[in-house]
Structure formats: C-alpha cells, structure tokens
Amino acid sequence: MQIDAIALTLRPRSMWEGCDLGVRLLHFKMRSVYACHLAVAAPTFLLCLATYPLAPWLPALLIWLAKPWLDYTILFALSRALFGERTAPLDLWAARSRILRPHLLALLLLRLSASRSFKLPVMQLEGLKGRAQRERIRQLTLRHRGVARAMMLAFVNAEFALCSSVLVLRILLAPHIFGLAGGWLAGLAASQAGLISSIAYALAVAFLEPFYVAGGFGLYVNRRVELEAWDIEQEFRRAFAR
C-alpha cells in the first residue's frame, strides 16, 4: 500500500465521518465512477427488463440480486480514485477477469449480508480467501457493523423514496391518462404498471448504488486508518519526501 500516494488527507474520524469520506471520494471522481458503473449496469438492467414477459416481478428481483456484482465495478473505480487515478471503461475491461467474474458463492454471501458495503473491500481488494478472509472481515467490522447496517437502512429508504418519486412523476406529467376510468389509455397504463415499476427501480439503483458502495468503502478506509495508523505514516512519508 503506497500511503503517500493516497489523494485524501487521512486523519482519525468517527465511522459516520468515514461514510462521508467515501461519498466525498465519489464526488472527486464521479464522472469516471459512473462511466464504469453504467457501462456494466445499463446492459445488465436491459437484460433483466427483458424477462418481464416471463413474470412481472422477475426484472426487479434480478436487479436486486445483481447489486453485489455491480458493486465490484463501482469499487474498482473508487479504489483507483483513492490514489487520484481516473478509471475508464477500457480499464475495467482490461481487469475483467478479476472484476467481472467474482465467485458465485461470494456474491450470494454479500447479497444476504446487511453490511455488504463494508465487507466488499476486504473481499475484493485484499486477496484473502477462506478462513483468513473471514478473520480479516471480523477484525475490521468488529463493533462497527451497526454503522454499516444503519447506512444500508438509510439507502433502502432513499431507494424507495426515489423509486416512488419516479412513479409519481409519471402520474403528474400525464394526469389525464390516469383519470380516465375504463379508457383504453388507462388500461394500457395499468397493463404496463409492473414494467414501469421495474424501470423506476432500475433508475433508482443506477443512481444510488455508487453512493452506497462509496459509503462502505469510506468505512473500510477509516477503519484501516484506525487500526494501522495510516494517517501517521502518510504524514511521515510526505514530510521526508520534501
């Protein structure tokens, strides 16, 4: 780890400040992070939406299941942004063997975890496996899983609010369609309600997921600063580099 190459000023922070640190990092390289995220998320969402004829509820379920896989792409760009590097979709493609092909069991465990944004950096960035990985996750998340879970709950509510807003906006822009009792336009809108809801959910996930992953990455960085004194090492390296 090249501590002196980190583009952020490290210092002891509370865990909630760590979440904010991750979001500020996302703002720092937002264009490159979203470019990589959408390069993978957009075709994934289209494939999920294509399953709507099979069952109206299937697209939303597949999008929900795909979130941990999409998080790998976001974290890849964020980890490079930590060192001031810009990430393009071509960089993502060059690293596709380790970024876009994670183990299926790891994805399942992350999907079932309420603190997956905190665990993901350990699983993706530290290269540990098996018992060593579990011990490392336990060490980093000890006494701090509550913050990660509270952050997840906040983002679940934000996702629900944004998804609902998209659906309400559709009604506000065309109130006459939904006010026609028994009209063919009203019938058409009702028949496509499941698809429109899935599209609204996809839009909410596309916008909010990078913020969620960034918050968890901020927790991870802050925890390593706390355990390994990265802030002191950074100051020493920069002082002696002059």
Side-chain angles (χ1 to χ4, degrees):
M1 175 68 71
Q2 298 178 326
I3 304 299
D4 54 326
I6 292 178
L8 302 174
T9 299
L10 302 177
R11 62 174 177 80
R13 293 175 167 88
S14 70
M15 294 305 286
W16 285 113
E17 287 180 300
C19 294
D20 183 65
L21 177 69
V23 174
R24 295 297 299 272
L25 177 64
L26 174 62
H27 288 169
F28 179 55
K29 291 291 184 181
M30 181 172 284
R31 182 174 297 180
S32 63
V33 173
Y34 269 92
C36 293
H37 169 51
L38 295 177
V40 176
T44 301
F45 291 162
L46 289 175
L47 287 174
C48 293
L49 292 172
T51 65
Y52 177 76
L54 300 177
W57 47 265
L58 190 55
L61 176 63
L62 293 177
I63 292 171
W64 183 80
L65 290 173
K67 278 185 177 184
W69 182 66
L70 298 175
D71 293 349
Y72 274 75
T73 300
I74 300 167
L75 184 59
F76 174 69
L78 286 171
S79 64
R80 290 168 57 91
L82 183 64
F83 298 95
E85 298 180 21
R86 181 181 179 276
T87 306
L90 286 178
D91 299 316
L92 180 64
W93 179 252
R96 64 188 181 278
S97 60
R98 60 187 177 88
I99 303 301
L100 301 178
R101 298 177 186 173
H103 197 277
L104 184 60
L105 179 59
L107 291 178
L108 178 61
L109 292 175
L110 283 173
R111 179 61 278 179
L112 298 177
S113 173
S115 53
R116 78 171 191 274
S117 65
F118 199 176
K119 297 177 181 179
L120 179 63
V122 181
M123 300 176 69
Q124 182 173 339
L125 303 177
E126 297 198 6
L128 301 175
K129 301 293 182 182
R131 183 176 180 180
Q133 184 185 87
R134 292 192 297 271
E135 287 296 319
R136 180 62 169 167
I137 290 175
R138 187 192 64 81
Q139 179 191 36
L140 289 177
T141 61
L142 187 65
R143 297 190 304 274
H144 297 293
R145 291 182 184 177
V147 176
R149 290 168 181 170
M151 185 185 71
M152 184 208 69
L153 181 61
F155 273 94
V156 166
N157 283 280
E159 193 175 83
F160 175 76
L162 184 57
C163 185
S164 301
S165 299
V166 173
L167 294 174
V168 171
L169 179 65
R170 158 176 169 255
I171 299 174
L172 294 176
L173 292 177
H176 59 287
I177 293 179
F178 298 91
L180 294 176
W184 70 272
L185 287 176
L188 178 62
S191 67
Q192 295 179 342
L195 179 60
I196 294 173
S197 298
S198 297
I199 293 174
Y201 180 56
L203 292 174
V205 171
F207 176 71
L208 286 175
E209 198 66 12
F211 286 91
Y212 174 66
V213 177
F217 185 51
L219 288 175
Y220 169 78
V221 172
N222 192 58
R223 185 69 171 132
R224 292 200 62 176
V225 169
E226 179 184 332
L227 289 177
E228 301 168 27
W230 278 7
D231 54 328
I232 298 175
E233 183 176 349
Q234 184 185 61
E235 288 297 323
F236 271 108
R237 287 179 179 271
R238 289 179 176 176
F240 286 105
R242 295 170 185 168

